[in-house]
Structure formats: C-alpha cells, structure tokens
Amino acid sequence: MNKVPLWKIFAVFAKIGAFTIGGGYAMIPLIQSELSRRGWISDDELPDIVALSQSAPGVMAVNVSIFAGHKLRGIKGSIVATLGSILPSFLIILAIAMFFTAFKDNPWVARAFQGIRPAVIALILVPMVNMARKSCKKWWAWLLAAVSLALVAFLKVSPIYIIICVLVMGFGISYWRFSRSSGARNDKGGGARNEKK
C-alpha cells in the first residue's frame, strides 16, 4: 500500500469525528465505511482494533484513531488521526456549551434529541452484529459473547472484570497450546534421533 498523505488521514478522521453522533461504538460504521473502502484496514482487522481500543484506558474514539493512524503512518499518523477525530467534537461541544443554556428548554430541541437516540442505538447495533458474524465463527465464541452480555446486562458485572478474565483465559490457552506443540516437536525430534542411533 502506498504511503497515505497525512492531510488525507486528518480529513478522513475529521469527517468521522464530525458526523459521529453518540461517540464510541456509534463511530464504528463510519470507520468501517471510510477506512475499509479506501483499503486502509481490512474487515478482519476492524474487530481487533475495536477490541484493543475498548480494552485500553481512555476514550474509545481516540484509541481507535491512535491504532488506525499508527497502522497507516506510524506515530505521525496517530497524532494526525487523533487530532482529526477530536477537533470537530471539541469545536461543536464548545459552541454548544456557549449557547446551549439559551435553548436547552426549547421543545424542538428536546424532540430532536429524542429522535436521535433510536438512530444512535441502530448505529451501535448494526456494526456489532456484523462484527459478531465475522469474529464468532466457533460455537465457544458465541457462548463467550452471550455469557459476557448476560453478566454485564443482567448481573451488572463490571466489564473490567470480564476483560481481565478473558485476557487471562486467552493467555492461559495460548501458553497451554504452545507448550503442547513444543512438547510434541521435542518428542518427534527425540524419536527421530533414537531411530538414527
């Protein structure tokens, strides 16, 4: 892939930041649309970036910008992508903070926010379903997703504990598989040496 100009990274992430209503997961459809169609990230990489961004401390939108920008142009790409994603939101919120008190009780404004909420839910739900279809290809992945959903939604378990448990499980399974494969290779190597003797 050719080196992406920094101004283009800034422009794309500024577009994402300006037209994302709700932030967080609501920006995933725009990220997928803008970055995937340009070939900057693949559909398989997006769930990994989202998972890393959600697990890392800080705001998810900024974390996604850092990871995606770094993939494109390293540290400079991270800085430019982050500035692009937060600048429109900063300016819009600054303007709202300056003038919101004048019209916050306006019924038209209240109805507009009520209309935005269902749209934000749909924007969050659609990419989650798409990522689940691509990422959860094994029965245990669907089971893990369902258990996590139940723990957070119904039992009010903190997502922090779930992330820690899943990380520990992932490292443990990876270590066990690596140890088993290393042991199998050593056994084969030892058997081959014994046969030569």
Side-chain angles (χ1 to χ4, degrees):
M1 184 177 68
N2 295 329
K3 188 176 283 190
V4 182
L6 292 175
W7 69 265
K8 187 174 284 188
I9 296 175
F10 178 85
V12 169
F13 277 90
K15 180 180 178 182
I16 293 171
F19 292 97
T20 297
I21 299 173
Y25 288 109
M27 74 184 299
I28 295 174
L30 274 174
I31 291 172
Q32 188 173 23
S33 172
E34 294 295 326
L35 303 188
S36 293
R37 69 186 178 87
R38 288 178 168 83
W40 292 358
I41 63 170
S42 66
D43 290 336
D44 293 333
E45 289 176 313
L46 182 62
D48 295 335
I49 291 176
V50 172
L52 285 170
S53 302
Q54 185 65 18
S55 303
V59 182
M60 181 180 166
V62 174
N63 292 343
V64 169
S65 303
I66 291 171
F67 285 124
H70 189 273
K71 181 183 182 298
L72 296 173
R73 287 292 301 271
I75 295 175
K76 290 181 180 179
S78 293
I79 295 171
V80 170
T82 302
L83 288 174
S85 65
I86 66 174
L87 189 60
S89 302
F90 173 76
L91 295 176
I92 291 169
I93 291 299
L94 183 62
I96 290 174
M98 293 171 62
F99 303 107
F100 184 68
T101 53
F103 58 85
K104 65 178 181 178
D105 296 324
N106 189 311
W108 292 96
V109 174
R111 288 172 187 159
F113 281 112
Q114 288 176 354
I116 288 172
R117 289 171 191 163
V120 171
I121 293 172
L123 288 173
I124 294 172
L125 188 60
V126 170
M128 293 298 101
V129 172
N130 290 336
M131 280 198 300
R133 287 176 179 172
K134 293 174 182 176
S135 302
C136 298
K137 296 179 181 179
K138 304 286 187 180
W139 66 268
W140 54 264
W142 285 104
L143 178 62
L144 185 60
V147 170
S148 300
L149 177 64
L151 289 174
V152 174
F154 302 112
L155 299 180
K156 308 300 180 184
V157 176
S158 173
I160 296 172
Y161 299 128
I162 295 174
I163 291 170
I164 293 172
C165 289
V166 172
L167 284 173
V168 172
M169 285 172 55
F171 281 125
I173 292 171
S174 298
Y175 179 77
W176 176 72
R177 287 180 176 175
F178 177 76
S179 300
R180 193 173 69 167
S181 63
S182 297
R185 284 196 298 269
N186 291 336
D187 290 341
K188 288 181 180 178
R193 284 193 295 270
N194 291 332
E195 287 177 3
K196 289 180 180 179
K197 290 180 182 179

